[in-house]
Amino acid sequence: MRYGVVVEEFAVEVMAQLPDNRARKEVLALVEVARMDPRAWPDVRDPGSVEEIREAFGRQRWIHLMPHAGAVEVRDIGWAG
């Protein structure tokens, strides 16, 4: 965990496939914004799920995250750039 962020293996793989450093920086900036207030983003969990899944999004990127006490777990990353 770094700065209250845990990144799942799948999300790490997606980050490695982003087209350039600009894309990585934009995704990491979104992670930081979401970490500061994860519950400000919509809850997108499946009906009946006990895991709280939030979706944070920017112009060309999105992440799925799970809030934990003082931290977030990044489950998935998307890039449309």
Side-chain angles (χ1 to χ4, degrees), residues 51-67:
E51 293 183 322
E52 180 181 358
I53 306 293
R54 300 281 173 162
E55 183 175 60
F57 40 87
R59 207 176 88 217
Q60 293 183 305
R61 66 236 184 248
W62 56 265
I63 60 173
H64 282 175
L65 58 109
M66 290 179 55

Side-chain angles (χ1 to χ4, degrees), residues 13-27 60-61 77-81:
E13 291 174 15
V14 172
M15 283 285 288
Q17 295 176 15
L18 290 175
D20 54 33
N21 283 333
R22 181 184 62 87
R24 286 182 202 88
K25 286 179 183 178
E26 288 185 24
V27 168
Q60 293 183 305
R61 66 236 184 248
I77 294 170
W79 176 259

Side-chain angles (χ1 to χ4, degrees), residues 64-79:
H64 282 175
L65 58 109
M66 290 179 55
H68 296 285
V72 293
E73 177 182 341
V74 179
R75 303 290 299 270
D76 195 7
I77 294 170
W79 176 259

Side-chain angles (χ1 to χ4, degrees), residues 15-51:
M15 283 285 288
Q17 295 176 15
L18 290 175
D20 54 33
N21 283 333
R22 181 184 62 87
R24 286 182 202 88
K25 286 179 183 178
E26 288 185 24
V27 168
L28 290 173
L30 179 59
V31 169
E32 180 59 19
V33 168
R35 184 190 68 81
M36 298 298 287
D37 190 8
R39 289 184 173 85
W41 301 93
D43 190 342
V44 295
R45 73 179 105 183
D46 292 328
S49 175
V50 295
E51 293 183 322

